[in-house]
Amino acid sequence: MAREDWNWSQVPDQTGRVAVVTGATSGTGYEAARMLAACRATVILACRDLPKAEATARHIVALHPGARVEIQALDLASLASVRKAVTEILERFDRLDLLLNNAGVMVPPYGRTEDGFETQIGTNHFGPFAFTGLLLERLMASPGSRVVTMSSGAHRAGRIYADDMHFDGGYRAWAAYGQSKLANLLFTYELQRRLATAGSNTLSVAAHPGWARTELQRHAGWIRGLRALGLEALLSQDAFGGAQPLLRAATDPAVRGGDYFGPSRFREMKGAPVRVESNALSRDEGLQRWMWRRSEQSTGVVYPV
């Protein structure tokens, strides 16, 4: 494991750097965006709810006077929205240094995105895959740039349902969530291999928040039971703590391509952010390549690497 004494006060000055953070109006995305803004990055809040994003931007500036915070409409459940957002970002910003693929959904009722994807794989993987691919050339033009993708400890129970990825045969919310979080890591590792092969110094890394108390868990009914037993506070951490692995992955100078960060304590549920290991399935290079091809076919986005 990596050292356990890292905290956000060690984030280097981010002056001149431009960071895109998806899902930045609450939870870990908000905390990561706020901390990057406090460290003088220009932060783009890429969010579905524009009024909420505007309020979030005002709040961050009130907390950190002089912070540079912009907003961008983005719905990861719509490839049309993804393409529109990318066009607007590239028109507005001549450089990008950090992309934090933080937004996601967790065990919602069954649904489909407007492109026909099961909601979790569509929002958590296919949307970010397309968004990253369409921004990648601009990111690669900035020395020291990074793509950070938020996964979950739930990837360990995940598998890729190649013959029924959208659960036409019957929806299982946790199986769909595990599939999407495994896909996040398959994407991270395959992207890093492609970047390295292309000789790029852009890094692809991943993080997970442990058990962070955020709105993401609103559909997970079992949490109410643990809360009643007094176990939630014992085993979990707040959104600020959950954002630390994401922030470390984005800013620590010692990060290597393909690193994966999570909390250090209680089976990676809480604690200081450290380098952690993902499961063997996520490291299967054949599966990584297969999922990449499936993602290109599904989204119509072909990467420049």
Side-chain angles (χ1 to χ4, degrees):
M1 282 191 174
R3 56 187 292 183
E4 294 190 19
D5 58 351
W6 191 93
N7 63 71
W8 87 275
S9 67
Q10 296 170 249
V11 175
D13 182 82
Q14 300 291 301
T15 299
R17 291 169 70 76
V18 178
V20 180
V21 184
T22 67
T25 56
S26 65
T28 57
Y30 163 75
E31 294 292 355
R34 180 180 66 79
M35 288 183 275
L36 288 170
C39 295
R40 303 179 184 275
T42 295
V43 181
I44 305 167
L45 311 180
C47 306
R48 184 175 53 185
D49 187 331
L50 278 184
K52 191 173 181 180
E54 290 168 351
T56 300
R58 290 193 297 269
H59 183 64
I60 292 175
V61 172
L63 289 174
H64 306 288
R68 294 173 293 278
V69 185
E70 305 284 343
I71 63 172
Q72 174 61 53
L74 171 67
D75 182 357
L76 290 167
S78 164
L79 292 178
S81 175
V82 167
R83 290 182 180 277
K84 186 173 186 292
V86 167
T87 297
E88 292 173 356
I89 289 171
L90 295 180
E91 288 175 349
R92 295 167 60 196
F93 301 94
D94 59 7
R95 68 175 294 157
L96 294 176
D97 300 272
L98 297 173
L99 170 56
L100 276 60
N101 287 317
N102 164 80
V105 292
M106 179 179 175
V107 296
Y110 181 72
R112 293 286 188 124
T113 70
E114 68 176 43
D115 302 289
F117 308 138
E118 182 276 319
T119 299
Q120 295 187 82
I121 195 71
T123 306
N124 297 351
H125 172 67
F126 287 130
F129 179 92
F131 191 54
T132 303
L134 295 169
L135 290 175
L136 192 60
E137 286 187 315
R138 186 64 52 88
L139 282 158
M140 291 172 64
S142 295
S145 60
R146 295 182 190 179
V147 175
V148 186
T149 300
M150 186 72 101
S151 183
S152 166
H155 85 273
R156 298 183 183 281
R159 54 168 286 198
I160 301 300
Y161 296 89
D163 297 326
D164 191 16
M165 186 169 286
H166 304 294
F167 292 87
D168 296 315
Y171 182 55
R172 289 169 290 142
W174 282 105
Y177 183 66
Q179 173 179 246
S180 72
K181 294 290 101 179
L182 175 59
N184 290 152
L185 287 170
L186 296 170
F187 163 71
T188 294
Y189 300 143
E190 178 65 14
L191 177 56
Q192 177 55 38
R193 181 164 50 248
R194 287 167 173 260
L195 288 166
T197 299
S200 173
N201 65 9
T202 297
L203 300 182
S204 173
V205 294
H208 81 84
W211 180 359
R213 299 185 296 274
T214 70
E215 292 180 10
L216 180 69
Q217 300 170 350
R218 63 187 178 275
H219 297 294
W222 55 270
I223 289 176
R224 290 190 291 273
L226 292 175
R227 185 177 301 136
L229 294 171
L231 294 177
E232 183 185 33
L234 176 65
L235 298 175
S236 66
Q237 57 190 355
D238 60 15
F240 179 82
Q244 301 305 301
L246 186 67
L247 193 67
R248 183 172 190 178
T251 65
D252 187 343
V255 168
R256 306 179 303 246
D259 277 350
Y260 180 39
F261 287 90
S264 58
R265 298 167 51 211
F266 293 111
R267 297 182 178 232
E268 300 178 18
M269 288 192 286
K270 63 189 295 186
V274 296
R275 190 175 292 115
V276 296
E277 296 295 327
S278 62
N279 69 359
L281 193 58
S282 71
R283 297 282 181 178
D284 183 326
E285 293 187 8
L287 186 58
Q288 291 165 14
R289 293 188 178 99
W290 183 91
M291 191 66 199
W292 190 278
R293 292 192 299 271
R294 178 70 173 263
S295 300
E296 288 188 330
Q297 292 164 1
S298 297
T299 64
V301 175
V302 178
Y303 274 54
V305 291

